[in-house]
Amino acid sequence: MEKGFQTPVKQAEFIIGAAAAKQFPQEPLAEVAFAGRSNVGKSSLMNKLLNRRKLVRVSGTPGCTREVNFFLINRHWWFVDLPGYGYAKVRRDQYELWNRTIGDYLSGRPQLRAVLMLIDIRRSLLDADLEMIALMESLGIGWVPVVTKADKLKSNPRRVALKKITEKIQTIERHAICKPIAVSAHSGEGMKVLWNQLLCILDPEHV
């Protein structure tokens, strides 16, 4: 974490990995979801935000997460880890099942406050990302562009990559809640900024 910043997380626990909408928790707590391509760093980012090492399982195998995973935070919010998308070696039937599960989740959660849309700084926005953004836009869901693995590029390439991502988002940002936030689960960069944004979304009365 960045110096001087303390995470607001007191309790964090995994509740359920839901393979179908009927298994989604029904408690009407405010929630945010984490979405992104396979291997974009969702699990690592969530662990860093929650100040936990292994609460969210990190896999080196792309396409490993197959369920919608719900984590109860401070007994007051949900963090929701959506299956990664865009991995070419996933079977077509599995791909269609994951897409249906994600679609059921996004269209059927009135307590969903926003989706954190994770983008690998080295890959920029690919077609699968644009499809995900288009789905959120069509449903009127607010989303936060989060640029992961910021530590993987040196200063000049990083600046160029962020500029490219920002310019692309500006053409489709009708429901983007803020400008892209660059983060690193390795160094902790951006965690304070991202948590401040999350608190504004999840608990605006107490920010």
Side-chain angles (χ1 to χ4, degrees), residues 120-182:
D120 189 326
I121 194 169
R122 302 166 301 175
R123 307 285 184 260
S124 192
L125 285 157
L126 299 182
D127 288 346
D129 298 315
L130 297 176
E131 290 173 5
M132 183 67 182
I133 291 171
L135 175 59
M136 293 187 293
E137 290 284 340
S138 70
L139 294 170
I141 296 171
W143 53 281
V144 176
V146 179
V147 183
T148 63
K149 305 185 182 183
D151 61 298
K152 298 296 185 181
L153 294 181
K154 293 184 178 180
S155 179
N156 285 339
R158 168 182 163 144
R159 188 160 44 247
V160 171
L162 280 172
K163 183 174 183 291
K164 181 179 179 181
I165 292 170
T166 300
E167 289 175 347
K168 184 66 176 179
I169 287 174
Q170 285 175 343
T171 68
I172 51 175
E173 67 171 1
R174 189 159 52 97
H175 290 99
I177 292 173
C178 61
K179 294 180 180 179
I181 300 172

Side-chain angles (χ1 to χ4, degrees), residues 8-9 13 16 25 27-36 42 45-46 49-50 56 68-74 76-83 105-106 109-118 132 136 141-146 177-178 181 194-204:
V9 177
E13 56 182 319
I16 189 173
E27 293 84 350
L29 304 175
E31 68 191 35
V32 293
F34 293 71
K42 284 192 290 93
L45 175 62
M46 291 177 69
L49 283 169
L50 298 173
V56 186
V68 178
N69 292 317
F70 288 81
F71 299 84
L72 185 60
I73 313 303
N74 292 349
H76 192 57
W77 311 312
W78 291 113
F79 274 17
V80 184
D81 184 14
L82 299 178
Y105 169 77
L106 292 176
R109 297 295 286 181
Q111 62 267 59
L112 177 63
R113 299 292 182 262
V115 174
L116 273 63
M117 178 68 203
L118 275 57
M132 183 67 182
M136 293 187 293
I141 296 171
W143 53 281
V144 176
V146 179
I177 292 173
C178 61
I181 300 172
L194 184 51
W195 253 120
N196 286 341
Q197 185 64 65
L198 283 169
L199 290 173
C200 287
I201 293 168
L202 290 167
D203 206 2

Side-chain angles (χ1 to χ4, degrees), residues 91-116:
R91 296 196 322 266
R92 184 67 189 179
D93 59 340
Q94 189 67 65
Y95 174 80
E96 291 176 351
L97 174 61
W98 293 355
N99 274 359
R100 184 163 64 250
T101 302
I102 292 173
D104 288 345
Y105 169 77
L106 292 176
S107 62
R109 297 295 286 181
Q111 62 267 59
L112 177 63
R113 299 292 182 262
V115 174
L116 273 63

